[in-house]
Amino acid sequence: MTAKPKFVYEKDDLATIGDVDENEVDRIAACFKGRSLFITGGTGFLGKVLVEKLLRSCGELKHIYLLIRPKKGKDPQERIKDIFQNVLFDQVKQQRGEERILQQVVAIAGDVLLPGLGISEQDLDTLREEVSIVYHCAATVRFDEPLRSAVFMNTRGTKYMLELAGSLKQLEFFAYCSTAYCHLHVKTLYEKPYDPPADPHKVMQACEWLSDDEVATIEKKILGDIPNTYAYTKSLAEALVVEKFDELPAVILRPSIVIPIWKEPIPGWTDNINGPTGLLIGAGKGVIRTMYCKSSGYGDFLPVDVAVNGILVASWRNITAGTDTTNRVAHMTSSNDIKVSWAEIIELGRWVIENKVPLNGVAWYPGGSMKSNYWVHYICMILFQWLPALFVDALLWLLRYPPVLCRVQNRIFKGFEVFEYYANNVWNFDNSEAVKLRKLMNNRERKTYVIEKIELDLIDYFTNCVLCARRLILKESDESIPAARRHMKVMWVVDKVYKGIWLFGILYMLYRCLFAT
């Protein structure tokens, strides 16, 4: 078993918040009182947390209009009811009542892929008369999305949103949720606009003229040094927003790698296995044994609840002060406050899974290591991931069960193609705007909308992440943890015996070669 990991931060570095004065007013909640909002991407990871936080902390708002893609046989408002069945909303439903929040959250049938967002004239009239705040969060976050599809979703969808925003009579704030990782040629990113890699209007026109296959044949040439279509299309979308700075009260918000909830309403909650959560599950199940990664490097990670708090605080600041007097680009990043290396993430995750929250049905005892040499990593991947997967799948086939591990390893291999670029490069992000905002907030606001490092315990955070992944994604009950712990001990013995046999065999062969007569 591995030793309990040590951390890179000192507790003296943590921010402290004084007692809340009973006369202090939550100016952020007051800013949203009586307002109607329009949100795209409200059914996604960030969007769900944004909607929940608005309902729980800014409950006196008038309406939240969510753009919902129509589905056959399903009314858009029924889809909102389905979303509210997620445990994420349990606290706010208990606090305010499900009927009340369903009155506030209204579905708008539409699609960012369609001209005019596919919204009916009646709904358009409602939005034009009521909405004063817009959050455009809808995007495809798949890094391997075909370029034509990514352009239509991320870039042209933003163009359609800006056109709608221009027709809203009450508009006071338009926020485009971009990413801190969309200008990858800049190693230190500042809170300012950057030139796009191409003219977004020409790229959209070309994608409209050409077919999927035609765009696919020239995709690599179009992307150039940009590693994926996500970063490329998000940078194009930023350029469209910048073009409208003189016409609209628009800002660009750049969160970094958004990860599970840190504090509220459910520590560790997530609805996907993207990013570190996927690594934790893969390593915890024993199917990831090697990674090509600079162990001393680090990524910039931001818990989704902190990202949402940053969005709301930035909204309050821009609405009350006016976008003419504020910076139009703001970063929501963490690496200036705390840096956790890739090696430390793996060490933390391994310790939590080994000692606190084991996963069910691990294929092998969690282990392996990071490799700084690609070819060493590649050989280890064949020996310790692909060959065992082939062996197990062959056994499953002989026993007339469907093979699974080779399919899993194929997904891991494709994921690593994306991960390795980011894991072997380091970017720094200026977060001056966040530092300014912290100074403007009173103690009540700082406790309600946390955007600073307080009461940080990484072991607790990783434990909550693994627990939620177990319950919500892997569908493994807490009652199975003791059995998983026993299985983990058995796999530890198997791992040691297996390695011992290999070591004995190698030493025996060396002995025969050196001392054979």
Side-chain angles (χ1 to χ4, degrees):
M1 299 288 181
T2 55
K4 188 174 182 178
K6 297 179 181 179
F7 301 122
V8 294
Y9 71 88
E10 299 292 336
K11 288 194 174 182
D12 290 343
D13 293 335
L14 298 179
T16 56
I17 299 176
D19 294 334
V20 175
D21 189 319
E22 62 180 14
N23 295 319
E24 285 180 337
V25 176
D26 183 343
R27 296 167 295 173
I28 297 168
C31 175
F32 286 90
K33 184 177 180 180
R35 292 182 182 274
S36 291
L37 293 69
F38 181 49
I39 300 176
T40 68
T43 60
F45 178 47
L46 177 70
K48 285 196 195 87
V49 180
L50 174 60
V51 171
E52 193 279 338
K53 180 67 174 182
L54 282 165
L55 291 171
R56 181 164 44 87
S57 298
C58 308
E60 294 188 55
L61 53 80
K62 184 178 180 182
H63 286 123
I64 298 175
Y65 292 105
L66 293 186
L67 187 71
I68 302 288
R69 188 182 302 171
K71 283 191 175 181
K72 285 185 178 180
K74 198 108 179 181
D75 179 76
Q77 198 66 29
E78 288 296 319
R79 289 191 62 196
I80 288 182
K81 289 182 181 179
D82 292 343
I83 293 167
F84 283 163
Q85 298 313 304
N86 193 297
V87 294
L88 176 71
F89 294 94
D90 285 354
Q91 181 177 330
V92 70
K93 285 193 295 186
Q94 184 177 7
Q95 172 185 315
R96 304 193 55 237
E98 185 172 1
E99 184 177 344
R100 171 60 181 146
I101 62 176
L102 282 171
Q103 290 173 352
Q104 287 183 292
V105 182
V106 180
I108 298 291
D111 190 335
V112 295
L113 295 175
L114 300 176
L117 304 173
I119 301 174
S120 70
E121 278 300 321
Q122 182 179 353
D123 285 341
L124 280 174
D125 288 341
T126 300
L127 298 179
R128 286 169 181 152
E129 295 297 328
E130 283 193 33
V131 169
S132 59
I133 299 173
V134 175
Y135 296 116
H136 179 37
C137 306
T140 173
V141 296
R142 282 182 52 195
F143 286 79
D144 60 348
E145 186 78 53
L147 178 60
R148 190 166 183 262
S149 298
V151 166
F152 287 163
M153 182 73 177
N154 294 348
T155 308
R156 194 177 66 177
T158 302
K159 174 177 175 286
Y160 291 155
M161 277 297 297
L162 289 165
E163 289 172 352
L164 171 67
S167 70
L168 302 180
K169 299 177 182 179
Q170 310 296 330
L171 184 67
E172 292 189 53
F173 183 70
F174 177 99
Y176 171 60
C177 289
S178 182
T179 171
Y181 286 94
C182 69
H183 300 286
L184 299 172
H185 62 290
V186 182
K187 291 300 182 181
T188 299
L189 197 74
Y190 291 96
E191 294 173 303
K192 66 177 186 178
Y194 287 87
D195 291 335
D199 184 328
H201 299 283
K202 291 181 179 178
V203 173
M204 287 187 290
Q205 286 178 345
C207 287
E208 288 168 347
W209 292 337
L210 301 174
S211 67
D212 288 336
D213 290 340
E214 289 170 331
V215 174
T217 59
I218 57 175
E219 181 174 310
K220 288 186 178 179
K221 186 174 182 180
I222 293 173
L223 294 182
D225 295 332
I226 300 174
N228 55 71
T229 58
Y230 176 71
Y232 181 79
T233 54
K234 294 293 274 187
S235 61
L236 295 179
E238 279 199 6
L240 294 175
V241 179
V242 172
E243 287 178 0
K244 296 293 183 179
F245 273 178
D246 291 336
E247 302 173 31
L248 299 174
V251 302
I252 295 170
L253 303 177
R254 293 182 184 143
S256 56
I257 303 169
V258 181
I259 57 176
I261 286 175
W262 168 32
K263 293 182 75 69
E264 58 178 15
I266 303 174
W269 180 90
T270 185
D271 66 354
N272 63 75
I273 57 171
N274 299 331
T277 303
L279 288 178
L280 283 176
I281 292 175
K285 289 284 188 180
V287 295
I288 297 178
R289 314 289 299 175
T290 178
M291 287 191 294
Y292 172 51
C293 177
K294 291 180 181 177
S295 58
S296 60
Y298 58 89
D300 194 296
F301 303 101
L302 192 70
V304 63
D305 53 327
V306 179
V308 164
N309 289 337
I311 290 172
L312 300 186
V313 175
S315 304
W316 160 70
R317 176 59 179 162
N318 280 277
I319 290 170
T320 55
T323 51
D324 292 338
T325 62
T326 59
N327 195 346
R328 307 291 284 272
V329 180
H331 290 167
M332 296 181 289
T333 56
S334 66
S335 56
N336 284 349
D337 294 320
I338 178 171
K339 290 182 175 69
V340 183
S341 70
W342 294 109
E344 288 164 332
I345 288 176
I346 296 301
E347 184 185 3
L348 276 163
R350 182 181 298 166
W351 188 88
V352 167
I353 288 172
E354 287 177 359
N355 296 276
K356 301 194 79 172
V357 192
L359 303 178
N360 290 350
V362 297
W364 202 261
Y365 187 77
S369 62
M370 294 182 175
K371 314 295 189 299
S372 58
N373 182 288
Y374 179 79
W375 294 109
V376 172
H377 158 72
Y378 191 75
I379 292 168
C380 288
M381 186 166 58
I382 293 172
L383 292 175
F384 303 120
Q385 291 185 193
W386 276 105
L387 288 180
L390 286 167
F391 176 73
V392 172
D393 276 359
L395 286 178
L396 290 171
W397 182 77
L398 289 171
L399 295 170
R400 298 190 177 183
Y401 289 102
V404 292
L405 283 185
C406 284
R407 188 171 70 249
V408 169
Q409 287 299 332
N410 190 49
R411 290 183 63 186
I412 290 170
F413 182 77
K414 289 182 178 180
F416 274 176
E417 289 180 338
V418 173
F419 169 77
E420 287 164 3
Y421 177 85
Y422 292 92
N424 290 285
N425 288 281
V426 173
W427 291 266
N428 295 302
F429 305 100
D430 173 41
N431 68 335
S432 300
E433 287 302 308
V435 174
K436 291 178 187 175
L437 288 173
R438 292 168 190 167
K439 294 176 181 177
L440 295 173
M441 300 166 69
N442 61 41
N443 287 341
R444 182 181 298 278
E445 294 158 349
R446 288 174 68 196
K447 286 191 174 183
T448 306
Y449 312 92
V450 177
I451 57 171
E452 53 199 314
K453 184 177 64 174
I454 59 171
E455 302 169 7
L456 181 64
D457 189 317
L458 289 178
I459 283 186
D460 282 351
Y461 178 68
F462 273 69
T463 301
N464 290 327
C465 289
V466 176
L467 271 172
C468 282
R470 236 184 158 274
R471 296 165 179 163
L472 305 176
I473 296 174
L474 300 176
K475 307 300 181 185
E476 298 175 359
S477 68
D478 291 356
E479 288 75 16
S480 66
I481 289 177
R485 192 169 285 123
R486 290 192 296 271
H487 181 66
M488 185 73 78
K489 290 178 180 178
V490 171
M491 296 309 296
W492 182 84
V493 173
V494 171
D495 181 65
K496 297 304 177 187
V497 170
Y498 177 79
K499 289 176 179 176
I501 291 172
W502 268 98
L503 181 60
F504 176 80
I506 292 169
L507 292 175
Y508 179 75
M509 294 298 295
L510 286 173
Y511 173 80
R512 290 296 300 270
C513 291
L514 293 173
F515 299 104
T517 56

